[in-house]
Amino acid sequence: MRDNLFSGPEPDPAADAGHRNAPPRVGFFTDTSVCIGCKACEVACKEWNALPEDGLSLTGMSYDNTAGLGASTWRHVAFIEQPAPAGRTQLPLVEPDAGTPEDGSGVRWLMSSDVCKHCTHAACLDVCPTGSLFRTEFGTVVVQEDICNGCGYCVPACPYGVIEQRPEDGRAFKCTLCYDRLGAGQEPACAKACPTESIQFGPLDELRERAALRVEQLHTAGVAEARLYGHEPDNGVGGDGAFFLLMDEPEVYGLPPDPVVTTRDLPAMWRHAGIAALSLAAGAALSFSIPSLTRRSGRT
């Protein structure tokens, strides 16, 4: 085991967190090519976790009334409108009354249900001073709301901007991957409610294999833009516990193209700080010793 590892390959984060005989690591694979934007996942997440409602204020962003992930929105379905590529219909399907793909005047929707990535190297967990954030036996990362002191260190630490504090008391909240349901042998509420199986839950290794086959299938069908995001175990966060099949660049979905765990350089930073402190102490000691030596030589 390699405790306190901030970056690099990490095959078993649950074991390194101290869990003995842990079950296989689980997570989410979100296939955005079959997302229909129904928001059933958002509703199921709120109902199961008793999250406050987001209100009905219009955001000016199409049908997206939640706008993004937050302390009370642990699943967020993004609606992205694009001109349809000329020559063929790509997933999601072009609206029939929005022109035709042959003349390039059609419109396609890119829809994606975003969620906490449950990173292998989770900076939010690294910086938490109270132990409110912890790694579960399933390899996921959970916030214990009764231990959170509202310091907010986890908010800027997250490379995805997932965690948010509630204004009422300052405590941080995010997706728990339905930790209580996992302990009872059930799948998370969002995956259970998804009517198209856009959100798939299971052992992470199996999901990665399934995702690779799905991308190959789409490429064979002529959808060259299909790609995976967050699935590589050697990426900047050691691989995500929740990864995605995207139909465009990550930036289009509001995702960072190359996320890096923000605590990766902490050991090097502490080493540099220690060297600087020792140099300062040595300089101070030398500055006091020189006058003393000068006085002694003057007396002799």
Side-chain angles (χ1 to χ4, degrees):
M1 288 199 314
R2 294 167 295 170
D3 297 326
N4 302 318
L5 186 66
F6 291 105
S7 63
E10 177 52 273
D12 196 349
D16 273 3
H19 296 287
R20 309 298 180 185
N21 302 316
R25 185 181 180 186
V26 297
F28 287 127
F29 164 47
T30 302
D31 182 353
T32 69
S33 69
V34 294
C35 178
I36 59 175
C38 66
K39 289 183 176 281
C41 55
E42 286 193 18
V43 175
C45 178
K46 281 186 174 292
E47 287 185 344
W48 180 262
N49 294 290
L51 301 179
E53 54 90 20
D54 295 296
L56 297 175
S57 58
L58 299 177
T59 64
M61 298 172 61
S62 177
Y63 298 102
D64 186 358
N65 67 310
T66 48
L69 295 172
S72 300
T73 304
W74 299 355
R75 269 278 179 188
H76 167 244
V77 179
F79 286 74
I80 302 161
E81 185 177 341
Q82 288 186 331
R88 68 174 184 270
T89 301
Q90 290 184 307
L91 297 172
L93 295 178
V94 177
E95 291 186 343
D97 60 347
T100 59
E102 287 74 16
D103 61 14
S105 62
V107 173
R108 73 168 180 172
W109 288 100
L110 299 181
M111 299 173 183
S112 174
S113 181
D114 197 9
V115 70
C116 171
K117 312 308 180 291
H118 294 274
C119 308
T120 298
H121 296 292
C124 58
L125 190 155
D126 293 336
V127 302
C128 180
T130 65
S132 171
L133 280 137
F134 73 99
R135 179 83 62 181
T136 75
E137 66 271 29
F138 301 103
T140 59
V141 179
V142 174
V143 183
Q144 301 173 93
E145 59 186 73
D146 56 332
I147 300 179
C148 177
N149 67 354
C151 69
Y153 294 165
C154 57
V155 176
C158 176
Y160 295 102
V162 166
I163 306 181
E164 186 182 58
Q165 294 172 273
R166 285 187 184 163
E168 294 82 9
D169 55 16
R171 290 181 299 167
F173 291 86
K174 73 171 191 66
C175 163
T176 67
L177 218 149
C178 285
Y179 183 44
D180 52 345
R181 292 175 65 93
L182 298 187
Q186 303 179 35
E187 64 181 322
C190 56
K192 183 74 173 179
C194 182
T196 64
E197 296 186 353
S198 171
I199 302 172
Q200 301 177 35
F201 166 79
L204 200 55
D205 290 338
E206 293 182 14
L207 292 178
R208 286 169 175 163
E209 294 178 3
R210 192 183 308 169
L213 292 175
R214 175 58 177 161
V215 170
E216 182 179 348
Q217 178 187 19
L218 288 173
H219 287 174
T220 302
V223 187
E225 293 80 3
R227 73 207 65 193
L228 293 179
Y229 176 85
H231 68 298
E232 292 288 352
D234 58 353
N235 67 11
V237 296
D240 291 323
F243 64 99
F244 302 80
L245 186 156
L246 303 180
M247 304 296 291
D248 208 324
E249 298 289 342
E251 299 92 323
V252 173
Y253 295 85
L255 296 169
D258 297 302
V260 175
V261 58
T262 52
T263 52
R264 179 191 62 182
D265 298 324
L266 275 180
M269 293 169 63
W270 280 113
R271 283 196 297 270
H272 291 314
I275 293 172
L278 288 174
S279 300
L280 183 61
L286 184 61
S287 66
F288 283 107
S289 64
I290 290 177
S292 177
L293 291 174
T294 302
R295 287 193 297 269
R296 289 179 182 177
S297 63
R299 285 197 297 268
T300 59

